[in-house]
């Protein structure tokens, strides 16, 4: 298997695991939303918001940095150094895990009070033990990915989610039938993350032990008293030089969600009342953010497969190839993300009615989901900047974007309510994307769509109209079918129509052209190749 094939296979494994994890997470949110109540839902949102904000800080960006350092050492036939780096990373994870766990536990009541949901303290504290476990899991995943053992991270992620969802729902329903309060049920549900972490740790320990046995057999392990071992101080210096900008760049989405959970109720309570603000916080966190997290998965997975090529082209100073690959990475991210964005946005009312207890908040779900197209371009452009050794600029752009988010939220929330907060999120992602693209163009001139924007925007407009029209027609089925069945049928119709017509319109309107088909990733080539007959000029490209 070639390096390119191995990388693509690893990417697909991790992307598949991420998709399964996301769907399982959505499966968990659906029953919980029905039983938690307004305070319970708000507590659950706040607990997860601060947890996912602290988790990247607890690992300090080490997984991706460790993966790179380990891979480099093995490529240079210095496996003993990679083991020493791994040991240093594990010690760091253990210490930061303890610090972050204690910080979360003792700060919980204060954060809950500031966020105007004091009942959330118990749910936040319940998550504290997870911060002891997940930094170790993250380090093990990064190490094994550096050894090109992708299956370990994929399996552990799926097992973690299965245990997390199963135990969280089970514990929540036990307390629900015991007539516990909403915040106590939320705490039981969040404790599933701790149990899922234990399960994932067991999986990673198994793969770690298996790898160590093979290393011992191959004679790769270094004696503990070797005088030439790298000192931890030198290792940490190298790690933090790489990891700090990476972790700050990766914090955008958790930071945005954390800001929303922290400021929504204080900003909106005076305008719509405390109870209604609590209810909207639950809708934003337990419905909108979960559904809006689906579109980026496939686009990021497909585009990620191009990034090593970009890094290699930059290192070789091959400007022509770099131009081609940067253009393709950005174009693929937009093209693959858009159909899911359109489908979920136009069918938001039906998706909401199908999954959740009420249809309230459908417009919130639609608006936040639409904005994920800019989240996709932001994340891909961040990765490209890292690939061309501009990670510090990526970090600065993220800081500017988060500042824009906070300032606009404070400005727009009194005027537009929750929609002002969501608009601030969209503009945050767009700001970072524009800053990233401006920097990328200074390195290599490129264009995402060039003269194809008209065709692409026309495709989006036509499909948005089709999706919205089909959704409006489909929801009338509630008069002849049970509500959830009617919404399910409508979701299927909208999804099939949008996803089916999307590639056809891209080809017909020449957004995608025959002469460039060979440069696209394999899955896209297979999808688009038969449709190229719709373009004038003969048969489609057969590039492999």
């Amino acid at each position: 298997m070639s390096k390119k094939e191995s990388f693509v296979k690893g990417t697909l494994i991790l992307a598949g695991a991420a998709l399964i994890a996301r769907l399982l997470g959505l499966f968990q949110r659906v029953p919980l939303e029905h039983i938690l109540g307004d305070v319970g839902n708000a507590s659950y949102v706040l607990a997860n918001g601060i947890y996912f904000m602290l988790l990247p800080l607890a690992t300090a960006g080490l997984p991706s940095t460790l993966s790179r350092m380990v891979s480099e050492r093995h490529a240079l036939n210095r496996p003993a150094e990679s083991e020493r780096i791994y040991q240093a990373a594990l010690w760091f994870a253990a210490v930061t895990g303890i610090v972050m766990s204690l910080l979360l536990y003792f700060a919980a009541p204060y954060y809950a009070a500031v966020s105007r949901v004091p009942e959330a303290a118990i749910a936040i504290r319940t998550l504290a033990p997870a911060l002891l476990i997940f930094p170790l899991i993250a380090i093990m995943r990064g190490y094994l990915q550096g050894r090109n053992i992708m299956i370990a991270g994929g399996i552990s992620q799926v097992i973690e989610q299965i245990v997390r969802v199963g135990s969280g729902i089970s514990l929540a329903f036990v307390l629900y039938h015991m007539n516990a309060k909403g915040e106590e049920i939320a705490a039981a549900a969040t404790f599933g993350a701790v149990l899922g972490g234990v399960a994932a740790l067991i999986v990673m320990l198994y793969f770690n032990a298996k790898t160590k046995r093979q290393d011992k057999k191959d004679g790769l392990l270094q004696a503990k008293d070797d005088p030439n071992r790298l000192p931890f101080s030198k290792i940490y210096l190298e790690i933090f030089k790489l990891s700090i900008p990476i972790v700050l760049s990766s914090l955008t989405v958790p930071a945005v969600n954390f800001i929303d959970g922290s400021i929504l109720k204080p900003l909106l309570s005076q305008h719509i009342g405390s109870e209604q603000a609590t209810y909207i916080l639950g809708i934003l966190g337990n419905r909108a953010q979960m559904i809006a997290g689906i579109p980026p998965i496939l686009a990021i997975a497909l585009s990620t497969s191009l990034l090593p090529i970009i890094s290699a082209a930059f290192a070789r100073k091959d400007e022509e190839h770099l131009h081609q690959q940067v253009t393709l990475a950005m174009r693929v991210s937009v093209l693959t993300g858009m159909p899911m964005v359109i489908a979920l946005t136009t069918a938001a009312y039906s998706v909401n009615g199908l999954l959740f207890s009420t249809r309230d908040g459908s417009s919130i779900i639609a608006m936040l989901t639409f904005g994920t197209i800019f989240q996709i371009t932001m994340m891909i452009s961040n990765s490209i900047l890292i690939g061309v050794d501009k990670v510090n600029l990526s970090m600065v752009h993220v800081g500017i974007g988060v500042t824009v988010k906070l300032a606009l939220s404070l400005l727009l929330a009194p005027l537009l309510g929750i929609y002002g907060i969501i608009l601030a999120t969209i503009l945050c992602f767009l700001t970072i994307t524009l800053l990233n693209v401006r920097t990328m163009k200074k390195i290599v001139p490129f264009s995402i769509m060039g003269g194809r924007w008209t065709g692409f925007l026309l495709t989006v407009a036509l499909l948005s109209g089709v999706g919205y029209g089909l959704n409006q027609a489909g929801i009338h089925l509630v008069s002849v079918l049970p509500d959830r069945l009617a919404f399910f049928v409508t979701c299927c119709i909208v999804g099939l129509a949008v996803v089916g017509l999307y590639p056809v319109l891209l080809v017909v309107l020449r957004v995608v052209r025959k002469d460039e088909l060979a440069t696209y990733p394999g899955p896209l080539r297979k999808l688009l190749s038969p449709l190229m007959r719709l373009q004038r000029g003969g048969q489609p490209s057969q590039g492999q």
Side-chain angles (χ1 to χ4, degrees):
M1 181 183 291
S2 70
K3 290 183 178 179
K4 183 177 178 181
E5 290 171 334
S6 176
F7 179 82
V8 172
K9 180 180 178 181
T11 300
L12 292 176
I13 288 172
L14 295 177
L19 179 59
I20 292 171
R22 178 69 65 179
L23 293 176
L24 286 171
L26 181 59
F27 174 77
Q28 182 187 36
R29 296 288 181 98
V30 172
L32 290 179
E33 190 272 340
H34 286 73
I35 68 172
L36 285 178
D38 294 350
V39 173
N41 275 308
S43 299
Y44 190 81
V45 170
L46 285 181
N48 281 283
I50 190 170
Y51 171 71
F52 286 114
M53 180 72 179
L54 289 177
L55 186 57
L57 295 175
T59 59
L62 280 177
S64 55
T65 304
L66 182 62
S67 176
R68 174 176 167 178
M69 293 173 69
V70 167
S71 178
E72 287 176 352
R73 261 59 177 198
H74 277 270
L76 296 172
N77 198 27
R78 286 148 54 184
E81 284 190 17
S82 79
E83 293 303 306
R84 182 67 171 166
I85 292 167
Y86 181 36
Q87 292 173 12
L90 286 174
W91 275 108
F92 178 84
V95 172
T96 56
I98 293 171
V99 172
M100 289 296 179
S101 180
L102 292 173
L103 175 64
L104 184 62
Y105 184 85
F106 289 109
Y110 303 100
Y111 173 66
V114 169
S115 302
R116 303 280 184 90
V117 188
E119 300 89 348
I122 182 175
I124 297 172
R125 280 183 159 175
T126 303
L127 272 173
L131 284 176
L132 288 170
I133 302 170
F134 275 98
L136 294 172
I137 296 171
I139 296 304
M140 291 181 183
R141 284 175 179 167
Y143 170 74
L144 291 175
Q145 286 172 21
R147 300 286 302 271
N148 204 29
I149 306 173
M150 304 295 183
I151 193 68
I155 290 176
S156 69
Q157 193 173 3
V158 173
I159 295 297
E160 170 203 329
Q161 286 295 322
I162 290 173
V163 175
R164 177 178 182 266
V165 170
S167 61
I169 292 176
S170 299
L171 290 170
F173 270 92
V174 168
L175 265 69
Y176 175 72
H177 288 293
M178 293 172 61
N179 296 318
K181 297 178 181 178
E183 59 269 28
E184 294 170 342
I185 300 173
T190 57
F191 189 69
V194 179
L195 299 179
V198 172
L201 182 61
I202 292 171
V203 173
M204 295 309 299
L205 288 171
Y206 165 77
F207 277 101
N208 186 74
K210 182 179 179 182
T211 304
K212 288 293 181 285
R213 285 197 299 270
Q214 186 62 45
D215 286 349
K216 187 175 182 180
K217 182 179 178 181
D218 296 339
L220 297 178
L221 297 182
Q222 184 182 32
K224 291 184 178 181
D225 58 353
D226 189 332
N228 296 318
R229 287 192 304 172
L230 282 173
F232 276 6
S233 58
K234 186 175 181 179
I235 293 172
Y236 288 135
L237 185 64
E238 182 177 354
I239 285 176
F240 293 131
K241 183 179 179 180
L242 292 170
S243 66
I244 291 176
I246 290 175
V247 70
L248 293 177
S249 296
S250 69
L251 274 174
T252 314
V253 176
V256 166
N257 293 340
F258 174 76
I259 289 171
D260 285 345
S262 302
I263 68 174
L264 189 149
K265 193 171 178 184
L267 286 178
L268 298 187
S269 291
Q270 56 186 323
H271 300 288
I272 61 176
S274 178
E275 290 186 5
Q276 183 66 12
T278 301
Y279 181 55
I280 288 179
L281 177 58
I283 288 176
L284 179 66
N286 281 331
R287 302 190 196 185
Q289 289 175 359
M290 199 66 200
I291 293 172
I294 296 174
I297 295 173
L298 178 59
I300 293 169
L302 287 171
S303 298
T304 299
S305 65
L306 297 168
L307 296 185
I309 304 171
I310 291 171
S311 298
F314 179 74
R316 295 194 307 267
K317 301 186 184 303
D318 186 346
E319 291 191 10
E320 181 179 351
H321 194 54
L322 184 62
H323 165 268
Q324 180 188 52
Q325 297 305 323
V326 169
T327 301
L328 188 59
M330 293 299 295
R331 188 173 298 164
V332 166
S333 69
V334 173
L335 293 180
T336 56
M338 204 69 225
M340 188 62 73
V341 169
I342 295 172
L344 288 174
T345 298
T346 56
Y349 186 87
S350 297
V351 173
N352 197 19
L354 171 65
L355 296 177
F356 301 110
S357 57
T358 69
R359 298 161 214 172
D360 297 343
S362 297
S363 55
I364 296 174
I365 295 172
M367 187 175 180
L368 189 66
T369 302
F370 176 77
T372 56
I373 191 62
F374 300 117
Q375 179 186 336
I376 290 168
T377 56
M378 174 202 70
M379 297 174 81
I380 297 303
S381 57
N382 272 347
S383 297
I384 292 173
L385 285 184
I386 292 171
V388 296
D389 201 26
K390 296 294 181 183
V391 65
N392 289 331
L393 280 176
S394 172
M395 175 183 66
V396 171
H397 296 167
V398 166
I400 294 172
V402 172
T403 302
V404 167
K405 157 65 183 173
L406 184 57
L408 289 179
S409 293
L410 296 174
L411 177 66
L412 297 175
L415 301 174
L416 302 174
I418 181 61
Y419 302 103
I421 292 175
I422 295 174
L423 180 58
T425 295
I426 295 173
L427 293 175
C428 163
F429 296 151
L430 178 59
T431 298
I432 297 171
T433 295
L434 293 176
L435 290 171
N436 287 348
V437 169
R438 186 184 68 171
T439 299
M440 289 154 55
K441 285 187 174 183
K442 291 180 181 178
I443 299 169
V444 53
F446 76 98
S447 175
I448 300 175
M449 291 289 179
R452 311 174 199 201
W453 280 112
T454 300
F456 177 70
L457 294 176
L458 183 57
T459 299
V460 172
L462 288 172
L463 287 182
S464 296
V466 169
Y468 182 76
L470 289 173
N471 182 73
Q472 291 303 107
I475 59 180
H476 291 296
L477 291 172
V478 295
S479 62
V480 294
L481 294 174
D483 285 6
R484 293 194 189 280
L485 179 58
F487 290 133
F488 174 75
V489 172
T490 303
C491 289
C492 291
I493 292 172
V494 173
L496 289 173
V498 170
V499 174
L501 289 173
Y502 182 73
V504 175
L505 287 175
L506 290 181
V507 172
V508 170
L509 296 174
R510 300 186 66 80
V511 179
V512 176
R513 300 172 185 175
K514 296 178 186 180
D515 57 358
E516 67 188 15
L517 191 61
T519 65
Y520 279 69
L524 284 182
R525 282 202 308 272
K526 292 177 182 178
L527 172 65
L528 296 170
S529 184
L531 299 175
M532 286 299 166
R533 294 180 179 85
L534 298 173
Q535 281 185 4
R536 292 176 296 174
Q539 296 299 313
S541 169
Q542 297 298 319
Q544 296 301 313

